[in-house]
Amino acid sequence: MFISDETIRVVHLVAKYQSITTAAEQLNKVPSAISYTIKKAEEAIGAELFIRKGRYIELTSAGEYFIQHSKNILNDLEALKRNTVLIHDGVEQELVVAVNNIIPTPVLVEFICDFERQFPSTTLRINLEVYNGCWDALYSKRADLVIGAPHAVPSTEGIISEPIGQLEWDFVVGPQHPLATQVQPLQNAELRQYPAICIRDTAVNFIPQQAWLLEGQKPLFVPDFLTAISLIQKNVGIGYIPHHLAQPLLNNGQLVKKPMQEHKHATKLFLAARSDGMGKVCRWCMEYLLHPAVTGKLSGGN
């Protein structure tokens, strides 16, 4: 049995208007052509789809089933045609983006919204990575594009990369922490007494790194900065927090920023992608994220 998508659409139109004549008018065809199409469809299926009642016709129970389930077939056919054209035109069906966990959430949400408007047929998958996990995802082909890969490009072979700014860090403690009232720059010896709140590097094939951990200091690993901040506020540990996350909490006294004898340098961030097989979607993302109005926000600016 073979029924074309055109035949399915004719059946749907007749069912909608309950009239072969009206369906024929909508399609600029004669009623006899529509009747013939319905008859051939019923013969191919082996079941009546309509009951004739004078000028009007109604769906049989088999016809109702056919209408209900053929909607998905029509949608699948449309998606098949659309996606085939997109692939022919170099538009990716899916784009996997690895995002450094220090990238501000608002700019990421704005990017996703604009992406969906621009490429409604492309599936976007966002994966959060930590430190060298960003580069690992790109080089191991777990991601097509990485936003905010840190420090320096491990190898330029097969990689397109652009610097997108530097992200500043604040060393913070809770308001009631013993170090909160310390005026002089903190020495490493006194910092080792307290656990360092850390987020584990997601790298598998690269050497893992820490945002900050002194030799001999106890690390306390947590999944994200929200958890890290909560623990620091409760004096469970101490550590560095991206400035854009720490700033509002410093302003209202929920965290205390402390001077350090050896302060952590700002993290240089990169936008990077693999050069092989880069399609229109990935190129659009690169251009979008490198726009000055967006790039500044990626490193924590306004």
Side-chain angles (χ1 to χ4, degrees), residues 139-157:
Y139 283 87
S140 62
K141 298 186 177 181
R142 289 187 287 112
D144 305 301
L145 176 73
V146 59
I147 303 174
H151 305 307
V153 184
S155 171
T156 57
E157 185 176 355

Side-chain angles (χ1 to χ4, degrees), residues 11-223:
V11 174
H12 276 250
L13 201 60
V14 172
K16 177 181 178 181
Y17 291 107
Q18 295 184 299
S19 168
I20 287 178
T21 301
T22 304
E25 291 172 353
Q26 294 293 317
L27 295 172
N28 293 318
K29 293 186 177 182
V30 295
S32 59
I34 302 301
S35 295
Y36 181 78
T37 300
I38 296 295
K39 179 182 177 182
K40 286 298 181 182
E42 291 176 328
E43 289 176 354
I45 296 169
E48 285 191 341
L49 301 177
F50 295 96
I51 299 174
R52 278 70 177 176
K53 292 186 175 181
R55 293 174 58 191
Y56 296 96
I57 60 176
E58 294 180 357
L59 286 168
T60 64
S61 56
E64 290 176 352
Y65 177 88
F66 180 88
I67 292 294
Q68 180 182 355
H69 290 274
S70 60
K71 288 178 182 177
N72 292 332
I73 295 174
L74 289 176
N75 291 336
D76 289 344
L77 285 171
E78 286 299 323
L80 176 63
K81 293 176 183 176
R82 183 172 61 252
N83 290 334
T84 300
V85 172
L86 289 174
I87 291 172
H88 178 267
D89 292 340
V91 176
E92 300 93 312
Q93 284 184 287
E94 180 183 62
L95 189 76
V96 182
V97 179
V99 180
N100 194 328
N101 71 325
I102 60 180
I103 295 296
T105 299
V107 66
L108 182 60
V109 170
E110 188 177 349
F111 161 69
I112 294 172
C113 291
D114 289 339
F115 181 98
E116 284 299 302
R117 283 191 287 267
Q118 188 73 21
F119 300 104
S121 298
T122 298
T123 299
L124 177 65
R125 184 149 54 92
I126 303 287
N127 296 328
L128 280 182
E129 301 288 349
V130 180
Y131 302 109
N132 272 344
C134 298
W135 291 118
D136 196 338
L138 189 64
Y139 283 87
S140 62
K141 298 186 177 181
R142 289 187 287 112
D144 305 301
L145 176 73
V146 59
I147 303 174
H151 305 307
V153 184
S155 171
T156 57
E157 185 176 355
I159 298 295
I160 298 172
S161 64
E162 295 287 346
I164 55 174
Q166 297 191 120
L167 185 136
E168 300 289 341
W169 297 82
D170 291 333
F171 183 81
V172 296
V173 300
Q176 307 304 319
H177 195 277
L179 297 175
T181 56
Q182 184 92 351
V183 177
Q184 298 298 322
L186 299 175
Q187 309 289 317
N188 288 347
E190 54 190 333
L191 294 170
R192 287 192 183 93
Q193 302 174 49
Y194 307 102
I197 307 298
C198 304
I199 299 175
R200 192 180 296 277
D201 194 323
T202 53
V204 177
N205 302 303
F206 282 63
I207 299 174
Q209 294 187 354
Q210 307 294 344
W212 177 77
L213 179 65
L214 298 172
E215 185 177 352
Q217 186 181 26
K218 177 185 176 180
L220 177 56
F221 290 101
V222 298

